[in-house]
Amino acid sequence: MTAWTVACSACERRADPAPLDALCQECGAPQLARYPVLENAADLREVWRNRPAGMWRYRELLPLRPGEEPVSLGEGGTPLLELPRLSERLGVRCLLKEEGGNPTGSFKDRGMSAAVTRAVHDGAPSFVLPSAGNAGVALAAYATRAGRPATVFVPDDTPDAVAARCQAYGADLRMVPGLISDCGRQAAAFAAETGAFDLSTLREPYRIEGKKTMGLEILEALDWRPPDAVVYPTGGGTGLIGTWKALTEAAALGWIEAPATRMYAVQAEGCAPVVRAWVAGDDRAAPWRDAHTAAWGLRVPSARGDALMLHALRASGGAGVTVSDEAMCEAAGRLGREDGTAVGIEGGAVVAGAEELVRRGDLRSGETVVLFNTGNLANYGWYTT
Ligand SMILES: *Cc1c(COP(=O)(O)O)cnc(C)c1O
């Protein structure tokens, strides 16, 4: 029995699930996994609850065949924390999905665990990735865990801390003059030359599957009563798309009503292609010129998942919002002083975004809102604006 199938997110063309490091051959859009288990609607919730914490407890909804072991470093199973002071100040019940405790300090670990697992079982000899930060660090760790070499292409202005962390996990780090798009071209050329598996965002369908488990964990923690809204710091969009996919699959299984949760994307004022497209009512996001923000995770001028993100915002009744770098840093600092949680700058962006959404009336008194802290403050060492 096939555990899952893969189809294009735009034209629905079916693809062979393995090995899969390509976009749709028909139309070039990203491909996504589909699970037949969704059709027989078995109630897995009790089974999951009795397994050890961590993202692989949801294995029936992950790309793992019976008998296969995941490549895991203990990712997932992160807390959903009440934020009493922020909640009181905003008049909205704010919960923090705290991803900073993942093995390499960010939610990127979930995606890499799923994607590296699948690729290794399908015979990938080595890995390559263009990255400006946490994804490269996560790949370095998971590739090493799987016993495969990883090559990470980063812009040559990448902070030393990131470069050092990639190397600490044994990756071959290549500095490229220019931007992340230049790194992408070099990574693709390297993959073609060496046979390395290219794990670029949404080039393969399984990093999304790992990110999806954040949504499943939130639902499980809330006893399958979906929050009114989630606010997400949006770069390449895998977390936003993955969380929406979790909600959609839980609705398909009849565990929640659909569409039950509004999705809000927060981007930086200096790089907001998705918010701009949302405001204009477009289905696709044009590349952002001269992208600049201190939040590296949000410095993604052009994303392969643009159509999927815009669909999630629209289908859920959510919205996009931008915040300044200054507002992100201030909000991150306030959260530390008020509620004792030290979030990364992208987490600060989410808090500042939620404050703005309350001012705009998008988040209403008494609602339950999940805010994502995607990375650990220690990944930065300091804030710069
Ligand atoms: C990658 C990253 C983001 C952006 O996530 P996407 O899912 O690509 O939109 C946000 N925050 C941090 C800390 C990141 O590393």
Side-chain angles (χ1 to χ4, degrees):
M1 195 196 89
T2 340
W4 70 93
T5 58
V6 169
C8 174
S9 61
C11 75
E12 305 269 314
R13 179 183 183 276
R14 295 253 168 163
D16 182 352
L20 204 74
D21 67 341
L23 302 165
C24 174
Q25 286 174 16
E26 196 69 37
C27 73
Q31 316 195 82
L32 296 175
R34 293 180 178 175
Y35 297 84
V37 66
L38 292 176
E39 276 134 48
N40 61 36
D43 200 339
L44 296 160
R45 290 176 291 180
E46 195 57 37
V47 178
W48 290 347
R49 218 192 330 268
N50 292 318
R51 288 186 184 152
M55 72 173 223
W56 291 100
R57 66 160 45 177
Y58 309 111
R59 57 176 63 206
E60 287 80 3
L61 287 186
L62 289 172
L64 196 68
R65 296 203 173 84
E68 288 178 344
E69 282 300 316
V71 178
S72 174
L73 291 163
E75 57 293 321
T78 59
L80 189 64
L81 301 172
E82 297 280 352
L83 296 173
R85 315 269 158 42
L86 182 68
S87 299
E88 198 186 319
R89 183 154 59 77
L90 298 186
V92 169
R93 181 186 177 208
C94 296
L95 300 169
L96 187 72
K97 185 59 175 161
E98 173 53 282
E99 290 291 302
N102 275 298
T104 76
S106 89
F107 77 126
K108 293 287 193 306
D109 291 339
R110 297 178 187 260
M112 287 304 166
S113 178
V116 168
T117 293
R118 194 64 259 138
V120 163
H121 285 300
D122 293 337
S126 56
F127 293 101
V128 63
L129 184 73
S131 169
N134 292 327
V137 180
L139 172 62
Y142 283 86
T144 294
R145 187 68 177 190
R148 302 289 192 282
T151 305
V152 178
F153 286 87
V154 298
D156 59 4
D157 65 350
T158 298
D160 292 345
V162 176
R165 295 181 68 229
C166 287
Q167 285 168 326
Y169 289 116
D172 175 10
L173 190 74
R174 310 275 178 98
M175 300 277 196
V176 176
L179 303 171
I180 184 77
S181 44
D182 301 298
C183 296
R185 275 189 287 280
Q186 296 234 6
F190 180 88
E193 207 174 287
T194 66
F197 194 95
D198 183 347
L199 280 167
S200 298
T201 302
L202 278 164
R203 233 195 113 71
E204 56 75 58
Y206 302 126
R207 282 176 62 187
I208 287 278
E209 294 303 300
K211 303 286 181 71
K212 179 179 88 179
T213 61
M214 295 190 294
L216 296 174
E217 286 178 13
I218 289 166
L219 289 173
E220 192 173 27
L222 295 175
D223 220 1
W224 303 92
R225 280 187 295 271
D228 296 299
V230 308
V231 186
Y232 188 84
T234 305
T238 57
L240 187 74
I241 299 163
T243 303
W244 176 243
K245 194 166 188 280
L247 293 164
T248 313
E249 291 181 357
L253 285 158
W255 300 345
I256 63 169
E257 279 175 37
T261 300
R262 307 192 306 278
M263 312 283 298
Y264 293 98
V266 182
Q267 295 200 299
E269 277 175 2
C271 181
V274 174
V275 177
R276 181 176 63 186
W278 182 81
V279 169
D282 295 337
D283 304 332
R284 301 295 305 264
W288 189 273
R289 292 165 61 112
D290 302 323
H292 60 89
T293 167
W296 322 316
L298 307 187
R299 204 169 51 187
V300 182
S302 171
R304 245 182 218 125
D306 59 342
L308 289 166
M309 288 187 259
L310 288 161
H311 171 76
L313 300 187
R314 230 165 257 125
S316 70
V321 61
T322 58
V323 295
S324 68
D325 282 14
E326 200 186 356
M328 295 175 201
C329 292
E330 281 174 10
R334 261 197 311 279
L335 196 67
R337 290 191 300 277
E338 285 183 352
D339 277 309
T341 55
V343 296
I345 190 166
E346 292 84 0
V350 164
V351 174
E355 291 171 349
E356 175 62 18
L357 289 167
V358 169
R359 272 194 293 277
R360 281 185 2 190
D362 287 41
L363 300 180
R364 292 178 288 271
S365 169
E367 288 192 322
T368 296
V369 180
V370 173
L371 313 181
F372 281 82
N373 179 40
T374 41
N376 197 307
L377 176 62
N379 286 14
Y380 294 88
W382 63 86
Y383 289 137
T384 49
T385 49

